Amino acid sequence: MKNLYVCNTARDEIEKFDLKTLKVVDSIKLEGKERVWPYRICVNNKTLIISSYKNNAIFLIDEHGVVEEFYLGSGCTDMKIVNNYLYVVCEESNTVVCFDIISKEIIEVIPCGISPRNIDFSKVNNKFIVSNALSKNVTIFDLLEGGSIHNINVDSNPVKAIWNVNGESIFICENNVGIKRKGILREISLYTKKERTIEVGNIPVDMCYDGEYFYISNWGDGTISIVDAYRFKEISRLKVGGMLKKILIDDKIIYVSEIQKNNIIRIDNNRKKTLSLDYEPQGIIIQ
């Protein structure tokens, strides 16, 4: 049975919802040395891992509720787990920190561009990609320690970068905030260096990819762009309303956080169901 986990920053809790009913099945209280301020969440076996932007730390919560805190760098945000290693984006330090979940030690600190936002990993080529919003580039580095690091420049603020399923190209969502243009989705082939771009909604902030389609949340106009990955064409733009942020896809069902009214909205074949919260949903995952 799958569940939806939501970071409740206001109360230092992780809310666990049944994915089918969207009803609360558990509230996990986070108790650190100080306020935790949960921002993003991931799961490794039975351990919840929380990043805290304000505390510059990650928190490991085991199945018994024991909390361990580790300082990694300034502005901990997005995370990715690979082979019991946790790769954490530190936005204000302009780095990615590799943390060994077993030994609980920092293994490596990888330099990135300015204001890194997200991290993605390809199992095909064993490489990571990080979007750097303020330096207008993406950073690619190898899984192995000491692997090569190189940057690829783009036109505007890249807020999300992910790998194609074949590991041969990258997809970058650029929000063009402040320059009175719609956001764009860009594909760059790492082999031919050819590029494709398509216009999406106003100020996109997040996207997810299921191997066939992209689902892009557009903060500026309250819409979701659905893009065919093969034809590289927007096939639909769903009008949702509000200020959309994090977006997930599970078995063709869309889950998106709307932070103007503090909702999570589920969209199944254009049928919407709203989960109303009394706090702003930060990180959300399905597990």
Side-chain angles (χ1 to χ4, degrees), residues 1-273:
M1 181 178 67
K2 291 184 179 180
N3 295 287
L4 175 71
Y5 293 83
V6 183
C7 288
N8 180 342
T9 302
R11 299 196 197 95
D12 275 0
E13 292 179 350
I14 302 299
E15 308 291 356
K16 181 179 177 182
F17 296 86
D18 179 272
L19 200 60
K20 290 185 178 181
T21 64
L22 291 185
K23 292 183 178 180
V24 177
V25 295
D26 195 10
S27 292
I28 303 165
K29 185 66 177 177
L30 307 176
E31 296 181 356
K33 299 174 183 177
E34 300 177 351
R35 284 286 311 274
V36 174
W37 304 100
Y39 188 76
R40 294 288 183 264
I41 178 174
C42 61
V43 179
N44 183 56
N45 297 321
K46 294 182 179 181
T47 300
L48 291 179
I49 303 175
I50 310 298
S51 68
S52 173
Y53 189 93
K54 288 190 176 183
N55 278 349
N56 308 318
I58 60 167
F59 296 82
L60 275 58
I61 301 98
D62 67 18
E63 58 185 316
H64 305 293
V66 177
V67 178
E68 294 182 277
E69 178 179 350
F70 302 92
Y71 173 84
L72 294 189
S74 299
C76 296
T77 58
D78 200 22
M79 300 175 286
K80 183 68 68 173
I81 297 174
V82 180
N83 300 332
N84 286 321
Y85 292 98
L86 179 70
Y87 291 80
V88 183
V89 173
C90 297
E91 185 175 339
E92 294 186 356
S93 299
N94 301 324
T95 58
V96 170
V97 175
C98 175
F99 179 81
D100 189 323
I101 299 172
I102 305 301
S103 68
K104 298 175 182 176
E105 296 176 334
I106 293 176
I107 303 301
E108 187 177 14
V109 178
I110 300 106
C112 298
I114 302 172
S115 191
R117 293 292 175 85
N118 91 288
I119 185 168
D120 190 43
F121 177 71
S122 170
K123 295 180 181 178
V124 178
N125 60 25
N126 285 325
K127 291 181 183 293
F128 290 90
I129 186 168
V130 178
S131 61
N132 305 305
L134 297 186
S135 55
K136 299 181 180 181
N137 62 6
V138 297
T139 299
I140 295 175
F141 61 92
D142 296 335
L143 173 63
L144 300 176
E145 288 186 53
S148 62
I149 302 171
H150 69 280
N151 297 317
I152 298 175
N153 294 326
V154 295
D155 289 344
S156 185
N157 313 70
V159 292
K160 193 73 176 273
I162 55 181
W163 287 100
N164 196 334
V165 290
N166 59 22
E168 295 178 355
S169 62
I170 54 177
F171 298 101
I172 306 165
C173 185
E174 303 170 37
N175 67 15
N176 291 326
V177 64
I179 60 176
K180 296 181 179 180
R181 282 178 53 193
K182 298 283 188 180
I184 66 168
L185 177 63
R186 183 188 306 273
E187 180 184 22
I188 302 176
S189 170
L190 299 184
Y191 296 94
T192 66
K193 308 303 180 183
K194 292 182 178 180
E195 297 188 17
R196 295 192 292 177
T197 61
I198 182 175
E199 186 177 272
V200 292
N202 186 26
I203 313 180
V205 294
D206 194 24
M207 71 173 174
C208 56
Y209 172 48
D210 65 2
E212 295 181 275
Y213 300 98
F214 295 96
Y215 303 84
I216 301 170
S217 57
N218 300 306
W219 168 287
D221 55 21
T223 65
I224 295 174
S225 295
I226 302 178
V227 176
D228 185 304
Y230 179 74
R231 293 184 293 159
F232 218 62
K233 178 181 180 180
E234 185 182 56
I235 60 172
S236 180
R237 190 175 297 180
L238 306 179
K239 295 182 179 180
V240 180
M243 302 170 68
L244 306 183
K245 198 171 181 181
K246 295 297 294 179
I247 188 166
L248 301 173
I249 187 74
D250 182 73
D251 195 24
K252 302 300 181 184
I253 301 175
I254 301 169
Y255 298 83
V256 63
S257 62
E258 190 284 299
I259 65 170
Q260 187 176 40
K261 296 182 178 179
N262 295 336
N263 296 324
I264 292 177
I265 301 169
R266 180 173 68 189
I267 305 170
D268 183 5
N269 288 326
N270 291 322
R271 297 190 302 271
K272 293 196 297 183
K273 182 174 182 179

